[in-house]
Amino acid sequence: MTHEPVVLSAALASFSEQWSPRIVTAVNDYDVRVAKAEGEHLWHVHDHTDEFFLVLDGELRISLREADGERTVTLPKGAVFTVPRGTEHKPYAPVPTEILVFEPTGTSTVGDRHDEVPDHVDATTGHALG
């Protein structure tokens, strides 16, 4: 991990894959990842960690299955949201979207428990910038 500034627009321009995050830096034991998103991700759960989302461009919707039922939150550009640990969730981007995610190093993009992983979703703990 380099200790140089990272321009997020340049980092995002360096790859084209959807739902395939790149690690732009680390903060203590957490990765800061950027990803491009469009269409559906998959239902999944992170049993031991919250998951922080910041929408850099576009719009992200996150469906949540909570104790009192299912709901969807909509995150426009500039919005942040944290999915609490243990909450089943499914991100969806209705338009091309760029996001920043903050979670512990080594956290899988498909969580600890998940539906079958579709071909367009990269099951990874994040890729280094190219």
Side-chain angles (χ1 to χ4, degrees):
M1 189 75 45
T2 180
H3 293 287
E4 296 296 328
V6 175
V7 176
L8 295 181
S9 59
L12 284 155
S14 73
F15 65 98
S16 60
E17 297 85 1
Q18 302 292 316
W19 303 112
S20 183
R22 300 307 193 264
I23 300 167
V24 294
T25 191
V27 180
N28 297 318
D29 298 330
Y30 283 74
D31 286 342
V32 179
R33 305 173 185 173
V34 293
K36 294 180 178 185
E38 188 172 9
E40 296 190 0
H41 195 265
L42 70 149
W43 283 105
H44 65 285
V45 178
H46 299 279
D47 289 326
H48 307 290
T49 184
D50 300 337
E51 187 173 18
F52 171 89
F53 292 88
L54 164 62
V55 177
L56 300 170
D57 195 27
E59 178 183 295
L60 187 69
R61 298 176 188 167
I62 304 174
S63 295
L64 305 159
R65 290 181 177 153
E66 299 171 312
D68 56 350
E70 195 172 299
R71 71 181 175 116
T72 299
V73 296
T74 299
L75 306 169
K77 178 180 178 177
V80 300
F81 183 76
T82 300
V83 175
R85 73 191 70 207
T87 301
E88 193 173 9
H89 61 287
K90 179 181 176 181
Y92 168 72
V95 296
T97 298
E98 297 175 342
I99 59 175
L100 181 143
V101 180
F102 186 72
E103 55 196 348
T105 299
T107 299
S108 170
T109 57
V110 297
D112 301 303
R113 295 177 282 123
H114 54 80
D115 286 351
E116 184 175 334
V117 179
D119 290 341
H120 70 278
V121 173
D122 185 9
T124 181
T125 56
H127 299 283
L129 276 178

